[in-house]
Amino acid sequence: MMKTTINEVEVEAIILKKSDYKENDQILYIYTKEYGKLSVLAKGIKKLTSKNARACQTLMISQLTIHLKKGMCLLMRATPINYLRHIQEDIERDMIAQYICEYFYRYIEDNVPDLLEYQYISKCLTYLDEGMNPLLTYLLFNVFILEHNGVSIYVDGCVMCQSSKVVAISLKHGGFVCHEHLESDKVLDKDVLKNFRHLCKVPIDKAFQLDICDEAIHTMIPIMDSFVEEYTGIHLKTSKFIKKIL
């Protein structure tokens, strides 16, 4: 982040969403490392002569010079950094990216910077663009949603007795369970349980090293979805479209 004049700053911004405002203006909803989520008024951006329009598309990363103030900031200049083109070329990647941005737009508080939040959104979008399995990225981001809402799935043994001989994931008890404490949950393959643990434990900057087969990913998705629905109550509009491509 570089400061230019009084209250004018340069930031790297992820464009979460934009909406029309008046005839030629738009409001950009962005996420930055230094200031968190901001609303920025982009005057004249809908005009054909606008020099800022190409850098202010959703699902891209740009360098913005903004007049920083309480309420709505004002866009001065915009330069593209990463168009994340590969996301926009694939419907699955696009849907997962929209899911991520919708969560940040709807559930992240304004003007509260958080380094972990920034790392998750920037890494997840970059992973999608660079070729990570989009459904694996979806799983990773749902781990973030749970943690962001104070929920941690217990994956260090049986949640009831700490036995290492786990056989299932219990939604009711919030983690792994052994045969002795198995109730109605489905017994899972050991590799699925191991991969689920890795998914919950891996730092976001190491997530590209995960090597999980498609079958295990499809097994884990409804389990993770159930945890998000049961423990956070969060329902995103884009989730119904994601379920159609599973």
Side-chain angles (χ1 to χ4, degrees):
M1 183 271 294
M2 182 178 75
K3 192 167 184 178
T4 52
T5 59
I6 297 176
N7 292 333
E8 192 172 297
V9 296
E10 286 187 358
V11 295
E12 181 177 296
I14 297 165
I15 316 296
L16 304 174
K17 178 183 170 67
K18 59 181 183 177
S19 59
D20 291 340
Y21 181 78
K22 296 185 178 179
E23 185 177 358
N24 294 307
D25 306 340
Q26 287 184 326
I27 299 172
L28 310 178
Y29 302 94
I30 66 173
Y31 194 85
T32 70
K33 180 163 56 177
E34 297 86 2
Y35 302 103
K37 191 175 71 173
L38 299 172
S39 300
V40 180
L41 177 61
K43 291 187 175 181
I45 201 168
K46 293 171 66 179
K47 293 181 179 178
L48 294 176
T49 55
S50 172
K51 295 180 179 179
N52 293 327
R54 71 188 183 98
C56 294
Q57 304 303 311
T58 54
L59 299 181
M60 68 178 295
I61 303 172
S62 295
Q63 180 173 292
L64 307 182
T65 302
I66 59 176
H67 181 74
L68 195 66
K69 58 181 181 177
K70 290 183 178 180
M72 194 177 299
C73 303
L74 180 64
L75 178 69
M76 312 301 290
R77 289 177 297 280
T79 305
I81 295 176
N82 190 341
Y83 286 102
L84 301 174
R85 284 192 177 94
H86 296 106
I87 291 177
Q88 299 169 43
E89 293 169 354
D90 181 270
I91 188 170
E92 286 192 10
R93 298 182 193 284
D94 185 69
M95 282 291 101
I96 305 304
Q98 288 189 43
Y99 180 82
I100 292 167
C101 288
E102 183 187 354
Y103 180 81
F104 267 71
Y105 170 69
R106 291 180 58 189
Y107 293 101
I108 299 294
E109 190 175 350
D110 290 352
N111 308 115
V112 182
D114 185 296
L115 182 58
L116 181 61
E117 289 178 1
Y118 185 82
Q119 288 176 335
Y120 250 93
I121 187 171
S122 61
K123 283 291 185 182
C124 284
L125 292 177
T126 301
Y127 288 156
L128 279 172
D129 191 57
E130 292 178 349
M132 178 182 274
N133 185 319
L135 296 180
L136 178 56
T137 312
Y138 174 71
L139 282 168
L140 279 168
F141 191 72
N142 277 332
V143 172
F144 167 77
I145 289 178
L146 289 169
E147 292 176 347
H148 189 251
N149 287 273
V151 180
S152 178
I153 304 174
Y154 190 81
V155 292
D156 289 327
C158 176
V159 68
M160 305 298 289
C161 68
Q162 285 70 59
S163 169
S164 61
K165 297 179 180 180
V166 296
V167 296
I169 304 169
S170 170
L171 179 64
K172 175 182 176 181
H173 297 299
F176 286 173
V177 289
C178 63
H179 256 302
E180 185 179 345
H181 295 100
L182 180 66
E183 295 180 8
S184 59
D185 299 291
K186 180 182 177 181
V187 173
L188 298 171
D189 184 86
K190 287 184 179 180
D191 284 341
V192 172
L193 293 168
K194 182 175 71 173
N195 286 326
F196 193 87
R197 184 178 188 277
H198 288 164
L199 190 73
C200 292
K201 290 283 190 176
V202 67
I204 189 60
D205 59 342
K206 304 290 185 183
F208 209 87
Q209 300 173 10
L210 289 172
D211 184 15
I212 304 177
C213 69
D214 288 347
E215 184 179 355
I217 289 172
H218 280 270
T219 299
M220 292 189 289
I221 283 175
I223 298 171
M224 192 67 77
D225 284 347
S226 295
F227 272 93
V228 172
E229 292 170 9
E230 179 72 18
Y231 287 95
T232 72
I234 287 170
H235 298 282
L236 300 175
K237 293 178 181 178
T238 44
S239 62
K240 63 182 180 180
F241 296 106
I242 293 171
K243 286 178 171 56
K244 291 180 180 179
I245 64 176
L246 293 178

